[in-house]
Amino acid sequence: MQPRLVSPRFLALTGTVILWASAFPAIRVGVDGLGVQALSFLRIVIAAIALLLVAPFAKVRVPRFRDLPMIVLCGATGIAAYQLLLNWGEVNVAAGTASLLIAIVPAFSVLLGSLFLRERVSRNIVLGSVVALAGAGIVSMAKGPGGFTVSALVVLAAAVVQGVYHVATKPLLRHYTGLEVATYAMVAGTVFALPLAPATWHATLQAPADALACALYLGLLPSALGFVIWAYAVARLPLAASTAALYLVPPVALVIAFVWLGEVPHFIELVGGAVSVAGVFMINRRNQTQQPRREREGTPGRAAADEPVTTDGENTRSPHRTVESVSGPGPTKE
């Protein structure tokens, strides 16, 4: 049954898209006033504190000792490295353009998953990945051959480390909820970000109010609340609905960046973004079409490896057995 437009799960999914999309212009404002290091540290720490405060109410468990190496990898890549690279890239890359480049994360996720998790790579996955990467190249060169700048490469590097994060979370999501993994990763990312604390202290003393407000907003809303409501929505909506909603993040980010910052994207950027989203759609369409077939096959004792067990909230009976897609979103999608 399709969710009602006023249902809590639909509102949660809509809120997630808006929060994650708004993060890109907020980063631009925050970087201008705080700098890359301070904004990265403040956002991670604020989000970690918020998630830890929520943890007792959400019944977040203490992770198993043998899972700590993978949690450390998640914190190093998807939290610390991702924030630093994305913030650094947005020093010179427009917020809307950055959102279009980050949209290709699923392409890196499935390619890395095939290498390290031995997941089968179909023709659609290969073709979709090539299309998504081609779209990213078009976006990066929107201003001509000279437009492929170091900053664009830095944003693409952020997409790569986010892809690593998605692959690293997959084994964890067989034993923990999405919110638990997000909490563990954010705490681990805070540890890796601690060397940025001295620079953050000096930058904060001189930062304008709007930059500090953006850092607080990024930590509390896109990074903390966004993960909480995403976990709520993805556990209660069909896979197709939750996946399709992620395609809306880049266009919503473009609209918010236009209203907030007055950024007007180049036509070629829009074309490249559409190409990238089409490639990601091809990748995810393979996952969605395989789910019914696997359910008919009825593999006992093991959840499907390529998609989350999130059909209309059925997995709420076992909240600590959530399995999410490698190509799905991570805690730091924005």
Side-chain angles (χ1 to χ4, degrees):
M1 183 175 67
Q2 293 296 322
R4 299 187 305 272
L5 294 184
V6 295
S7 67
R9 53 189 175 178
F10 178 84
L11 292 176
L13 193 61
T14 302
T16 302
V17 171
I18 294 174
L19 289 177
W20 286 351
S22 68
F24 292 97
I27 288 173
R28 288 282 290 182
V29 177
V31 164
D32 287 344
L34 282 165
V36 172
Q37 297 181 62
L39 179 62
S40 301
F41 181 79
L42 287 174
R43 180 178 182 180
I44 294 171
V45 170
I46 291 171
I49 293 173
L51 289 173
L52 287 174
L53 291 175
V54 172
F57 303 97
K59 298 181 179 178
V60 172
R61 298 165 296 167
V62 176
R64 301 177 302 184
F65 181 79
R66 64 176 177 267
D67 293 327
L68 292 182
M70 198 62 70
I71 291 172
V72 168
L73 177 61
C74 292
T77 56
I79 306 300
Y82 176 79
Q83 294 296 342
L84 279 168
L85 290 169
L86 180 59
N87 293 346
W88 180 19
E90 283 206 44
V91 171
N92 294 309
V93 174
T97 304
S99 71
L100 295 172
L101 293 173
I102 292 296
I104 69 167
V105 165
F108 291 121
S109 298
V110 294
L111 293 176
L112 291 169
S114 68
L115 291 175
F116 297 103
L117 300 181
R118 296 182 180 180
E119 294 191 338
R120 189 179 64 182
V121 179
S122 68
R123 182 174 58 183
N124 280 351
I125 283 184
V126 173
L127 182 58
S129 299
V130 171
V131 170
L133 293 173
I138 294 172
V139 172
S140 301
M141 300 185 68
K143 298 179 181 179
F148 201 91
T149 62
V150 173
S151 295
L153 290 175
V154 170
V155 176
L156 286 175
V160 172
V161 297
Q162 186 72 347
V164 174
Y165 172 87
H166 288 165
V167 174
T169 60
K170 186 166 185 180
L172 296 173
L173 288 166
R174 295 192 178 101
H175 304 283
Y176 306 102
T177 66
L179 180 59
E180 286 178 323
V181 173
T183 303
Y184 305 152
M186 199 67 71
V187 172
T190 301
V191 175
F192 281 103
L194 285 177
L196 305 178
T200 300
W201 173 257
H202 295 294
T204 302
L205 294 177
Q206 304 174 1
D210 60 344
L212 293 173
C214 282
L216 185 64
Y217 171 82
L218 287 166
L220 289 179
L221 297 181
S223 289
L225 179 61
F227 306 151
V228 173
I229 62 177
W230 168 257
Y232 174 88
V234 80
R236 291 164 175 81
L237 286 169
L239 175 64
S242 57
T243 301
L246 298 179
Y247 302 143
L248 298 176
V249 172
V252 172
L254 289 170
V255 172
I256 295 175
F258 172 75
V259 174
W260 187 353
L261 306 177
E263 291 182 357
V264 180
H266 292 77
F267 175 74
I268 193 66
E269 290 178 326
L270 299 178
V271 173
V275 172
S276 293
V277 170
V280 173
F281 175 79
M282 293 173 65
I283 295 170
N284 284 332
R285 186 172 183 272
R286 171 257 185 186
N287 288 337
Q288 294 165 14
T289 56
Q290 281 195 350
Q291 185 178 17
R293 178 175 61 82
R294 290 184 179 179
E295 289 175 350
R296 289 194 302 269
E297 292 174 355
T299 303
R302 181 179 183 274
D306 292 331
E307 56 274 340
V309 185
T310 55
T311 303
D312 294 327
E314 292 177 357
N315 67 332
T316 56
R317 294 192 300 269
S318 179
H320 299 304
R321 292 289 298 169
T322 302
V323 181
E324 294 185 3
S325 169
V326 161
S327 59
T332 51
K333 176 69 182 174
E334 71 296 334

